[in-house]
Amino acid sequence: MERKLIPSKCPLCGGNVASGTTTFTVDLKTGLIVVRDVPALICAQCGEEWIENAVSIKLEMITDRARLQNTQLEVVLMV
Ligand SMILES: [Zn+2]
């Protein structure tokens, strides 16, 4: 798994980065995509989030599919 883009310390504030989950939302103009429980690394200090490559590829696939289907609102659980 590609992890080299994920910092061990926050480059913005130097805080500790811990793994957790986040909610990813995309406004498609025609609708809104909400993906819950997206695995992410989150800075404990400033709240900056990083999503791994493998995960963001999955998010792109969800977004593309929803765009093709002209979805109004799609809530997806990811884990
Ligand atoms: Zn930070």
Side-chain angles (χ1 to χ4, degrees):
M1 195 182 285
E2 184 71 73
R3 294 200 69 136
K4 67 171 182 250
L5 293 173
I6 307 296
S8 56
K9 288 266 183 203
C10 178
L12 302 178
C13 73
N16 285 320
V17 175
S19 55
T21 57
T22 187
T23 301
F24 177 85
T25 50
V26 197
D27 190 349
L28 295 177
K29 308 264 195 285
T30 55
L32 186 71
I33 310 298
V34 181
V35 188
R36 295 194 205 281
D37 293 334
V38 178
L41 289 155
I42 301 157
C43 173
Q45 205 158 293
C46 72
E48 183 72 13
E49 295 166 350
W50 294 267
I51 295 174
E52 289 181 50
N53 274 350
V55 176
S56 54
I57 287 166
K58 246 180 160 178
L59 289 171
E60 258 174 54
M61 282 163 54
I62 292 168
T63 308
D64 284 350
R65 195 190 61 208
R67 191 177 278 135
L68 286 172
Q69 291 174 347
N70 211 10
T71 307
Q72 294 299 308
L73 174 69
E74 183 168 1
V75 179
V76 186
L77 281 174
M78 205 162 106
V79 169

